[in-house]
Amino acid sequence: MLLRQIDRWAELAPQQIAHQYREQILTYSELKTYSDSLACWLFQTLKYASGKRLPIIVYGHKESEMLVFFLACLKSGHPYIPVDSSIPPERLLKIIEASGATAILSPTALPEKVKSRDLLWREHLHLAAIFDLAPGHAGPLPEWQIGTTDVWYIIFTSGSTGEPKGVQITRHALESFVGWMTKEYQPKLQQEIFLNQAPFSFDLSVMDLYIALSQGGTLWSVDQQHIANPKDLFDSLQKSQISYWVSTPSFAELCLMDPSFRQKLLPRLRYFLFCGEILPHNVASSLLERFPQAQVINLYGPTECTVAVSGVSITARILASPGPLPVGQNSAAWQIHICDPDDLDRVIASDGNKELFLRSLPPGEKGEIVIAGPNVSLGYLNRPELTKRSFFTWTENDISLQAYRTGDIGYWLNGKLYYQGRRDFQIKLHGYRIELNEIEEQLRKLPEIENAVVVPVVRRHKNAALQAFIKLSDNFLELTSKPETAQQDWGQEIRQKLEAILPAYMLPQRCIVIANLPLTKNGKIDRQALRGGQDDSLC
Ligand code: AMP
């Protein structure tokens, strides 16, 4: 079991580095000692308050304390919710409300508004301060820990109804995922160094975090400042000796802009593990050319199915064949079906009617990707209606499995899985998952705005930014006749209002005032026209 596996490194290799972030180094011995100590304090402090396994929010960026807090929550019997400190306080408050979190721990400062809430909070909680909280403890008891079917973490993603939604991942799902990944990509015990690029609030980080810790490896974190300053980033990479690169393709694309990004910079590199968005053909081919000793793996999966469900090594042969790159191949670990979306609608609406069952479409036929198996989430935290719309039971040969309809369109061909775009208005921008409806909903809440449509701006076949088309409310119509500069200033004001509610990656770059939103022949808003005819399936 995963917690035991991680703790064992404190006995086998106490001085081995578990995490490195800038000047901060955390050994396996420290990871265990501090997390044990904090777990005792959490258990004593929270046990009587709730009697339930209520979640704890862990708020910060890449500090080593984050890892200690994650493990301490689990050892005291609470799932954790990782929240990156870059999000606006309003969004953090929404997550607190939606999750019913019982406590919030942070190695940095907490927003003032959070401290007035009725929950236990600790800010600037550094490693040394943890011992002051629980002096002379005997260690957490195994029976406090998160059980197999309990939730291990909850990750909040963008929600189409205007509110973020919390995906609950159980210990069993996570252990299945880690087991599958280590079998597929065989890291050597105690020898591997994993790049951690994604914030801990993004489930891609689960891949590097838990594969590294379970195998006695080192997690090497880079942060937003590194990413914004290529010199800083490359200085850090040069020292890193990374052997497993885990990131979004967008991040590797950024690195490729520097000619020194090649095997000489990372001589031990063996794997590029990509997930979360389309891997462009040219990125894969440049990487194979510059890193002849490394494999490029394209992984696919949504947060709801524990990071990734399939992966495929992109070889020179695959690159030479026309068409998109595959995102996976047959895997024995869980089931990946292609279904007719209308059949899915019917089965889900029937609420478990046994007469209706789904069948997989044959290879070559396009449909919606459905995933069934132990890796699938229990559903969205405290959102039963939303859960019912996407999660259901897949029954075949008297075996029932938890299943999730992804909203992704794809197909199987010659044993490989291909991704073809979305059925809805969810997009990926620089690796971040965004429901365009969520931004539109927030815009519509402003008194100046009657209706709004947000569309991605596509450059070189890739989402590059967002732009919002806005129809003003009657009281604000005079803006329509004002010069363009006045409209641009107003657009900036709107952006500032959104900044208080939405993370930076969800802010439209431009807000364009429009007299009327164009409609299709069916009377729906013509998003395609607003996108200037750009192809939806690319995003
Ligand atoms: P997230 O929950 O943030 O990991 O986003 C999941 C979504 O990202 C999936 O439902 C897909 O739409 C998209 N996605 C994940 N992996 C890939 C991939 N390899 N290629 C294309 N799209 C992907």
Side-chain angles (χ1 to χ4, degrees), residues 12 53 138 150 157 171 211 226 236 276 333 339 348 357 440 500 502:
L12 297 174
R53 296 190 182 280
D150 292 328
T157 70
R171 184 181 121 192
I211 301 178
H226 278 121
S236 175
C339 295
I348 287 178
F357 54 88
E440 290 163 3
L502 297 175

Side-chain angles (χ1 to χ4, degrees), residues 274-315:
F274 293 122
C275 193
E277 61 179 349
I278 292 171
L279 171 63
H281 207 279
N282 62 327
V283 172
S285 62
S286 305
L287 290 174
L288 284 180
E289 191 192 310
R290 293 200 204 175
F291 294 85
Q293 291 165 38
Q295 284 193 55
V296 173
I297 311 290
N298 193 16
L299 291 138
Y300 159 83
T303 305
E304 286 82 346
C305 302
T306 322
V307 194
V309 296
S310 67
V312 57
S313 178
I314 303 299
T315 56

Side-chain angles (χ1 to χ4, degrees), residues 155 157 167 202-204 249 274-279 297-305 307-308 310 325-328 404 406-409 419-422 426-428 431-434 539:
I155 282 189
T157 70
V167 181
F202 177 15
D203 87 328
L204 181 58
F274 293 122
C275 193
E277 61 179 349
I278 292 171
L279 171 63
I297 311 290
N298 193 16
L299 291 138
Y300 159 83
T303 305
E304 286 82 346
C305 302
V307 194
S310 67
L325 297 179
V327 296
Y404 173 69
T406 60
D408 291 329
I409 299 297
Y419 167 88
Q420 269 249 314
R422 295 281 310 168
Q426 179 183 303
I427 63 147
K428 282 287 175 134
Y432 290 104
R433 169 169 158 177
I434 299 173
C539 311

Side-chain angles (χ1 to χ4, degrees), residues 225-510:
Q225 270 171 318
H226 278 121
I227 296 166
N229 177 349
K231 182 167 176 330
D232 199 11
L233 173 67
F234 278 72
D235 283 351
S236 175
L237 287 180
Q238 191 148 36
K239 289 182 218 138
S240 71
Q241 296 291 318
I242 287 165
S243 51
Y244 280 66
W245 177 284
V246 182
S247 83
T248 55
S250 296
F251 181 62
E253 197 171 5
L254 190 87
C255 294
L256 277 168
M257 287 163 74
D258 192 311
S260 69
F261 186 63
R262 47 183 64 247
Q263 194 93 48
K264 223 170 114 197
L265 180 81
L266 301 170
R268 291 189 61 224
L269 193 80
R270 292 202 289 134
Y271 278 104
F272 282 100
L273 301 179
F274 293 122
C275 193
E277 61 179 349
I278 292 171
L279 171 63
H281 207 279
N282 62 327
V283 172
S285 62
S286 305
L287 290 174
L288 284 180
E289 191 192 310
R290 293 200 204 175
F291 294 85
Q293 291 165 38
Q295 284 193 55
V296 173
I297 311 290
N298 193 16
L299 291 138
Y300 159 83
T303 305
E304 286 82 346
C305 302
T306 322
V307 194
V309 296
S310 67
V312 57
S313 178
I314 303 299
T315 56
R317 196 156 152 231
I318 290 181
L319 285 170
S321 49
L325 297 179
V327 296
Q329 55 199 356
N330 284 326
S331 141
W334 22 75
Q335 301 181 8
I336 304 173
H337 301 281
I338 304 294
C339 295
D340 180 330
D342 293 337
D343 286 352
L344 276 166
D345 287 344
R346 268 194 294 278
V347 167
I348 287 178
S350 77
D351 213 7
N353 180 348
K354 295 242 164 34
E355 302 298 306
L356 290 173
F357 54 88
L358 284 159
R359 68 180 182 98
S360 288
L361 296 176
E365 266 190 55
K366 280 178 205 158
E368 186 167 341
I369 303 177
V370 170
I371 296 155
N375 55 328
V376 177
S377 157
L378 299 176
Y380 302 115
L381 180 65
N382 301 330
R383 305 285 291 274
E385 283 309 311
L386 204 59
T387 299
K388 258 199 215 162
R389 274 188 243 157
S390 304
F391 293 88
F392 62 102
T393 307
W394 182 283
T395 308
E396 207 172 298
N397 301 332
D398 286 335
I399 297 173
S400 295
L401 295 169
Q402 173 79 337
Y404 173 69
R405 68 180 298 185
T406 60
D408 291 329
I409 299 297
Y411 58 94
W412 282 105
L413 196 63
N414 300 329
K416 299 227 163 30
L417 179 67
Y418 291 86
Y419 167 88
Q420 269 249 314
R422 295 281 310 168
R423 284 191 72 215
D424 54 16
F425 303 124
Q426 179 183 303
I427 63 147
K428 282 287 175 134
L429 177 61
H430 309 311
Y432 290 104
R433 169 169 158 177
I434 299 173
E435 292 279 1
L436 296 174
N437 298 137
E438 183 176 356
I439 310 169
E440 290 163 3
E441 200 59 37
Q442 295 303 339
L443 282 166
R444 277 186 223 114
K445 282 186 188 160
L446 300 174
E448 303 93 315
I449 295 176
E450 185 185 297
N451 204 355
V453 174
V454 178
V455 296
V457 181
V458 178
R459 289 189 201 111
R460 285 193 277 146
H461 304 301
K462 221 170 163 257
N463 291 331
L466 298 172
Q467 72 186 5
F469 289 91
I470 288 169
K471 182 170 179 339
L472 294 166
S473 309
D474 286 351
N475 294 347
F476 294 86
L477 276 180
E478 81 272 14
L479 190 70
T480 326
S481 51
K482 294 222 167 122
E484 209 183 310
T485 47
Q487 291 190 12
Q488 278 169 3
D489 291 347
W490 179 82
Q492 280 310 316
E493 274 173 41
I494 294 293
R495 250 180 73 94
Q496 276 161 13
K497 288 186 183 171
L498 285 184
E499 250 166 33
I501 321 163
L502 297 175
Y505 60 83
M506 287 177 80
L507 299 176
Q509 199 178 46
R510 284 178 69 202

